[in-house]
Amino acid sequence: MIKLRYETKVKGLKKKILEMRTTIEKEKAGLEKLQLEIVKCLSGDSVFSSEDLSKMISEQKQRIQDMKKELSKMQSEIDDKAMAMQSILPAYDRFKGWAEEYERLPLEQKRAVLCELIARVELRKGYQIKIVFNVEYEQFCQTQDGDIKILKIC
C-alpha cells in the first residue's frame, strides 16, 4: 500500500517533469527565434522594434528560468520521497514480519500479545473508538544498533 502510493506519486512527478522539459525546449526554441529576429531588426526587415524584442527576449528568459526552478523543485521532491521510502522500508518489513508471526499464533497467545500492547480501548458516542497503546512510537523506530531514528512518513 505504501509502496503503491509512493510509486503513484513519483510516476506523476516524473510525468510532470517530462512535460516541463518539453515546455522548456519549446520556450528555448521560441527564444532562439526571437534572437534571430534581432538580426532582422538591425537590418530594418523586422516587424518588431528593438525595445519590443528586448522586452520579449527578457520575458522569455525569465519564463525559462522560472520553469527550470520548478523543474528543480520537482526533482528534489522525487529525491526526498525516495529517501523517505528508503527510511520507511526497514520498519515496514519489521511490522510485516510481526504481523505474519502474529497470524501463526494460537488464539490464547494472540490475546496475551494484545494485552501487552494495548492499555485500554475507549468507546465514545457515535461509535468512535480510541485505542491507547502501552508502547511508544520511538520503540518501533530503533535501528539494529539500538539508535532511535524517527521516520518521516509522507
Side-chain angles (χ1 to χ4, degrees):
M1 180 81 155
I2 294 171
K3 191 173 184 179
L4 180 64
R5 192 173 354 163
Y6 162 77
E7 289 173 352
T8 303
K9 285 183 179 184
V10 168
K11 188 176 180 180
L13 282 172
K14 285 183 178 181
K15 183 178 178 183
K16 285 181 182 179
I17 285 174
L18 184 61
E19 290 171 356
M20 184 70 72
R21 285 185 177 152
T22 304
T23 306
I24 288 173
E25 290 304 315
K26 287 179 183 177
E27 293 290 328
K28 283 182 179 180
L31 178 62
E32 287 177 17
K33 287 180 184 177
L34 288 174
Q35 289 172 337
L36 291 174
E37 191 70 26
I38 292 174
V39 176
K40 291 181 183 178
C41 182
L42 293 175
S43 66
D45 296 333
S46 177
V47 293
F48 301 108
S49 67
S50 61
E51 294 83 23
D52 290 340
L53 277 175
S54 174
K55 183 180 177 185
M56 287 190 293
I57 287 173
S58 64
E59 288 173 354
Q60 192 80 359
K61 285 181 179 179
Q62 185 62 44
R63 278 196 300 272
I64 291 170
Q65 195 170 16
D66 292 343
M67 286 183 203
K68 284 182 178 180
K69 286 180 185 176
E70 185 67 27
L71 184 67
S72 170
K73 285 181 187 177
M74 285 190 271
Q75 188 61 49
S76 66
E77 189 176 343
I78 286 177
D79 296 341
D80 291 345
K81 288 190 181 304
M83 279 198 336
M85 188 64 178
Q86 291 303 316
S87 68
I88 289 173
L89 284 177
Y92 176 75
D93 289 340
R94 192 169 10 163
F95 288 138
K96 189 175 172 185
W98 290 342
E100 290 168 355
E101 192 173 324
Y102 179 80
E103 286 296 318
R104 289 185 292 233
L105 293 176
L107 184 60
E108 296 80 28
Q109 288 180 339
K110 286 181 181 181
R111 286 182 183 158
V113 168
L114 289 176
C115 287
E116 287 296 317
L117 289 175
I118 298 174
R120 68 180 179 274
V121 177
E122 298 174 2
L123 300 174
R124 299 180 179 172
K125 291 182 181 179
Y127 298 102
Q128 293 180 353
I129 300 173
K130 179 181 177 184
I131 301 172
V132 179
F133 291 94
N134 284 328
V135 293
E136 296 294 323
Y137 171 73
E138 287 80 12
Q139 289 176 286
F140 294 105
C141 300
Q142 288 184 347
T143 62
Q144 299 293 356
D145 304 331
D147 298 331
I148 292 179
K149 181 178 179 184
I150 303 299
L151 302 175
K152 179 183 171 189
I153 299 175
C154 303

